[in-house]
Amino acid sequence: MVTPAEEPCRKCEEFDLDEAVARAEHDASRETDCRVLRRRHWQADHGGQQP
C-alpha cells in the first residue's frame, strides 16, 4: 500500500502493466520476463525484496 507521502514508482507500474497485457495476450514467456525484470529493478532501485 502506498502512503500519501510516497509516490508510486513509474518503472514498477510499467512492469505491472506490461505483465497484465502479456497475461491478456496469453504470452506466458513475456509475463515471466516482466516478473523477473521487476524483481531485478526492485532489488537494484528499491534496496531489497518486493513486499
Side-chain angles (χ1 to χ4, degrees), residues 22-38:
R23 187 177 308 112
E25 294 176 350
H26 306 287
D27 188 343
S29 177
R30 197 165 105 213
E31 251 186 286
T32 300
D33 291 345
C34 291
R35 286 192 296 269
V36 169
L37 292 171
R38 183 188 316 108

Side-chain angles (χ1 to χ4, degrees), residues 2-28:
V2 176
T3 63
E6 296 177 22
E7 295 214 11
C9 173
R10 181 178 209 119
K11 192 70 175 171
C12 289
E13 290 178 333
E14 289 174 6
F15 285 128
D16 290 341
L17 178 60
D18 289 345
E19 183 179 357
V21 169
R23 187 177 308 112
E25 294 176 350
H26 306 287
D27 188 343

